[in-house]
Amino acid sequence: MGSGGPVTTLVDTGADAPASAPATTAGPAHTARARRSAPSWAWLGLVPFAAYIVLFLAVPTLLAIGSGFFTKDGSFTWTNVSALGDPVVLNTFANSAWISLLTAVVGAVVGALVCYALLGMNPQGAIRSSVDAAAGVLAQFGGVMLAFAFIAMMGIQGVLTVFLKDTFGINIYENGTWLYELPGLILPYIYFQIPLMVITFMPALAALKPQWAEANLTLGGTRTSFWLRIGLPVLAPSFLASLLLLFANSFSSYATAAALASQGSQIVPLQIRTALTSETVLGRENLAGALALGMIVVVGVVMALYSLIQRRAARWQS
């Protein structure tokens, strides 16, 4: 009897086990399969964004590229694309490139220093929060508003211009009204490049792990050795990626330059405007498509490099 009980119990349990075990394991699996087979409508949330991208990015890009290969009458031609080798066009690309590179380098270096200063502050403190908020706003403060602000401050009759002239006898326009020419774009571009650098580079700087500094100190390192052997090598990809982003941002800017430099077409976006609206050079509207194609190629290469470097930098930020 003593052995009969357990045997009966084992028999009952063994009989129930095959029936119950598959039920408990198949339940979640069946539910998961049912969920996978059921139609999901979550993708509908991407429809507005996809429509926006198609209407305001993909279609204009295709039209701009396509128009560069056709004449006004619709005939295929290489004339517009071959005009990219014209010395005047090459000069506008060179102007766009150097002013973009200059403002990107200055914005990246100054922005990185601002990020370094913010790193020692309390993330929840008033100063850090104010600078973060101001950077987010000022990075988008471009176009006609920014041009008007600089004209009001540094124009021929601007507040700062009149103050310097009346108080110290300094005439900042003694050698010409440079604010309304190509050099005049440098200060406005740097104005929105610095806060953009703060937004993009600060997450990488904040991702430096305190354990790395502790390990450096444990091994007898100094603050200098930490930055030279750990900090700067780790941050170099993020800094370079942010620099490329700033270059692309400056290279494609239009509204600020259009509002300030009303005469001439010193950079590519203004050259496109001239091709579309000029009343003295007619029949070259489709040249704007070829110029846009050139800009798309330059910005595309820069953004591809940015994506490649950013992927490498993301390994240290995870």
Side-chain angles (χ1 to χ4, degrees), residues 12-298:
D12 292 343
T13 304
D16 292 338
S20 59
T24 54
T25 55
H30 177 72
T31 304
R33 282 197 299 270
R35 287 178 179 173
R36 283 196 297 268
S37 60
S40 174
W41 300 100
W43 59 272
L44 286 176
L46 294 175
V47 170
F49 178 71
Y52 179 82
I53 293 297
V54 170
L55 291 177
F56 295 100
L57 181 61
V59 173
T61 300
L62 292 176
L63 290 177
I65 294 175
S67 64
F69 292 93
F70 295 93
T71 64
K72 188 178 180 180
D73 300 330
S75 303
F76 182 82
T77 180
W78 289 104
T79 304
N80 295 322
V81 178
S82 62
L84 293 176
D86 187 271
V88 176
V89 176
L90 290 178
N91 187 48
T92 58
F93 271 94
N95 287 338
S96 290
W98 78 257
I99 197 169
S100 300
L101 183 61
L102 175 63
T103 57
V105 170
V106 174
V109 173
V110 176
L113 293 176
V114 173
C115 292
Y116 180 74
L118 293 176
L119 189 63
M121 299 181 181
N122 180 11
Q124 308 301 327
I127 297 178
R128 175 79 175 270
S129 301
S130 299
V131 174
D132 288 342
V137 173
L138 296 179
Q140 308 302 322
F141 188 74
V144 178
M145 297 182 298
L146 181 62
F148 175 76
F150 267 84
I151 291 174
M153 179 59 66
M154 301 181 62
I156 298 176
Q157 296 298 326
V159 176
L160 181 62
T161 305
V162 173
F163 174 77
L164 292 176
K165 188 174 183 180
D166 293 345
T167 306
F168 303 103
I170 300 175
N171 182 12
I172 62 175
Y173 293 115
E174 186 175 359
N175 297 320
T177 53
W178 50 267
L179 182 63
Y180 306 101
E181 300 174 355
L182 187 61
L185 300 179
I186 295 175
L187 288 179
Y189 279 17
I190 291 175
Y191 183 88
F192 59 75
Q193 295 280 51
I194 293 175
L196 181 60
M197 180 66 180
V198 173
I199 294 175
T200 57
F201 189 62
M202 192 64 207
L205 198 59
L208 287 177
K209 294 181 172 58
Q211 293 85 347
W212 297 345
E214 295 171 359
N216 174 66
L217 293 175
T218 303
L219 296 174
T222 61
R223 180 184 293 269
T224 303
S225 65
F226 169 78
W227 284 108
L228 290 179
R229 297 181 180 180
I230 301 175
L232 293 180
V234 169
L235 293 174
S238 297
F239 181 85
L240 185 57
S242 300
L243 179 65
L244 292 173
L245 184 64
L246 265 59
F247 177 87
N249 182 49
S250 179
F251 193 84
S252 59
S253 293
Y254 166 73
T256 304
L260 278 177
S262 58
Q263 299 294 327
S265 305
Q266 299 93 337
I267 59 176
V268 182
L270 299 184
Q271 187 75 26
I272 293 176
R273 180 192 64 179
T274 301
L276 292 173
T277 62
S278 175
E279 297 180 353
T280 57
V281 182
L282 302 177
R284 300 299 303 273
E285 292 86 355
N286 287 6
L287 175 62
L291 294 170
L293 173 62
M295 287 194 69
I296 291 171
V297 171
V298 173

